[in-house]
Every structure is written in C-alpha cells, then in structure tokens.
Amino acid sequence: MLKKILPHICLDMAVIFLVLWVIDRFNGAMNMLGRDTFKIPFAVFLVLVLIQSVVMIVKQRRE
C-alpha cells in the first residue's frame, strides 16, 4: 500500500514546494525559502521528484 501512496504524496509535496518557490521568486520581499544558494538545488530536487513521481504512477497504472 505504501508503494501506491508514496509517489502521490511526493508529487503533492513537490508541487506545493514548487509553487512556494515560484511565489518567492516573484515576491522577493517575502524571502520564504532563504538564500539563493538553497533555492537552485531545491528547485532541481523538486523537478526530479516530480519526474520520479509521475514515472512511478504511470508504471503502477500499467501493472
């Protein structure tokens, strides 16, 4: 059961954090996520999690 739920949870969390990152980029005064040195690797991580989650969900649906 965890194998089916985990990709969906990762996908949801990655989308939430990606939205927060975009909001922070356009509204620099809020500075929600801290320094720029953190933002770039964090964005790369989020994109990779999104890709991995979508691939896992598609793979599970085919089985």
Side-chain angles (χ1 to χ4, degrees), residues 9-63:
I9 293 171
C10 289
L11 181 64
D12 293 340
M13 294 302 292
V15 168
I16 289 169
F17 281 115
L18 191 58
V19 167
L20 288 174
W21 183 74
V22 169
I23 289 171
D24 192 50
R25 294 290 290 171
F26 288 111
N27 191 0
M30 292 177 70
N31 199 15
M32 291 185 292
L33 299 175
R35 302 180 192 182
D36 285 336
T37 56
F38 173 74
K39 291 178 187 177
I40 301 301
F42 187 60
V44 171
F45 167 73
L46 290 176
V47 169
L48 292 174
V49 167
L50 285 170
I51 293 169
Q52 185 266 339
S53 296
V54 169
V55 168
M56 291 285 292
I57 291 169
V58 168
K59 183 179 174 183
Q60 286 177 1
R61 298 239 175 171
R62 288 185 181 170
E63 291 178 353

